[in-house]
Amino acid sequence: LNNSRQRLITLHDEIEAMRQYLDLEQIRFRNSFTYTIEIDETIDTTFTRIPPMIFQPFLENSINHGIGLNEDRKGHIELKIEAVDEEYYRVIIIDNGVGREYAQNLRSNKLNSHKSIGTQIIEDRLTAINKLYNYHSLFEYIDLYDENNKPIGTRVDMVLPQEL
């Protein structure tokens, strides 16, 4: 919560906040999922600054709409941060959930569907960063399928500037 009051925080602080968030969610979901966090050692996480809580909506979607709906296997989330070049780094969030299409079908079948606005907020924040700093930050969803075209999860790729 302290981080949310700041305009920018270090990548290190964001990663630690996400660890705490994922640990709490593991308790909430009775350890029905695991997670890993991998960070490219060439990225200086104490220098790199980002808007706070920028990864959280994607992790929340992975938990609530992906692995939380998957009863076939234990859930897993990967958070990877890797250098693209000297200016940008890539954040990759992968879950082994039910996939976006299946989750959307479940939501549309419910009478009281909850509309998530987290992704729209992140899109708006990245648009503002791009305009303010003349960057080209972006994110995209990639649906993952097995060899039989069965959904096996979702991947989010986000490209962010190393300096803000």
Side-chain angles (χ1 to χ4, degrees), residues 138-156:
L138 57 95
F139 76 90
E140 70 174 324
Y141 282 102
I142 301 166
D143 297 311
L144 305 175
Y145 299 92
D146 68 10
E147 61 278 353
N148 297 318
N149 209 31
K150 179 183 175 191
I152 57 170
T154 303
R155 173 180 169 142
V156 175

Side-chain angles (χ1 to χ4, degrees), residues 18-162:
M18 292 308 98
R19 274 188 220 281
Q20 291 173 9
Y21 171 73
L22 289 166
D23 287 345
L24 285 171
E25 289 295 271
Q26 279 185 314
I27 293 167
R28 179 177 165 225
F29 284 92
R30 298 191 170 129
N31 292 314
S32 64
F33 73 92
T34 58
Y35 73 89
T36 55
I37 298 176
E38 297 176 32
I39 304 158
D40 187 325
E41 59 191 40
T42 64
I43 298 172
D44 184 350
T45 61
T46 59
F47 172 76
T48 303
R49 300 179 64 76
I50 63 172
M53 303 294 285
I54 201 156
F55 306 155
Q56 189 275 339
F58 298 111
L59 294 169
E60 181 178 353
N61 284 347
S62 288
I63 294 166
N64 292 329
H65 307 299
I67 60 177
L69 300 175
N70 188 352
E71 297 175 2
D72 294 342
R73 61 188 177 273
K74 186 168 186 162
H76 184 74
I77 298 172
E78 297 176 48
L79 172 59
K80 298 178 184 179
I81 302 171
E82 58 189 30
V84 173
D85 55 31
E86 293 80 28
E87 283 190 72
Y88 293 94
Y89 63 97
R90 175 175 284 113
V91 178
I92 302 166
I93 299 171
I94 301 172
D95 69 59
N96 68 339
V98 297
R100 293 185 315 141
E101 183 178 339
Y102 180 78
Q104 178 63 37
N105 288 338
L106 283 178
R107 278 194 306 275
S108 66
N109 290 333
K110 290 183 179 179
L111 293 175
N112 186 12
S113 293
H114 167 72
K115 178 147 174 61
S116 175
I117 60 168
T119 303
Q120 183 61 51
I121 291 170
I122 296 303
E123 189 172 329
D124 293 346
R125 289 169 81 189
L126 290 178
T127 299
I129 288 169
N130 289 342
K131 286 181 182 175
L132 186 63
Y133 298 103
N134 197 28
Y135 282 114
H136 304 287
S137 302
L138 57 95
F139 76 90
E140 70 174 324
Y141 282 102
I142 301 166
D143 297 311
L144 305 175
Y145 299 92
D146 68 10
E147 61 278 353
N148 297 318
N149 209 31
K150 179 183 175 191
I152 57 170
T154 303
R155 173 180 169 142
V156 175
D157 278 13
M158 185 182 328
V159 177
L160 296 168
Q162 292 211 32

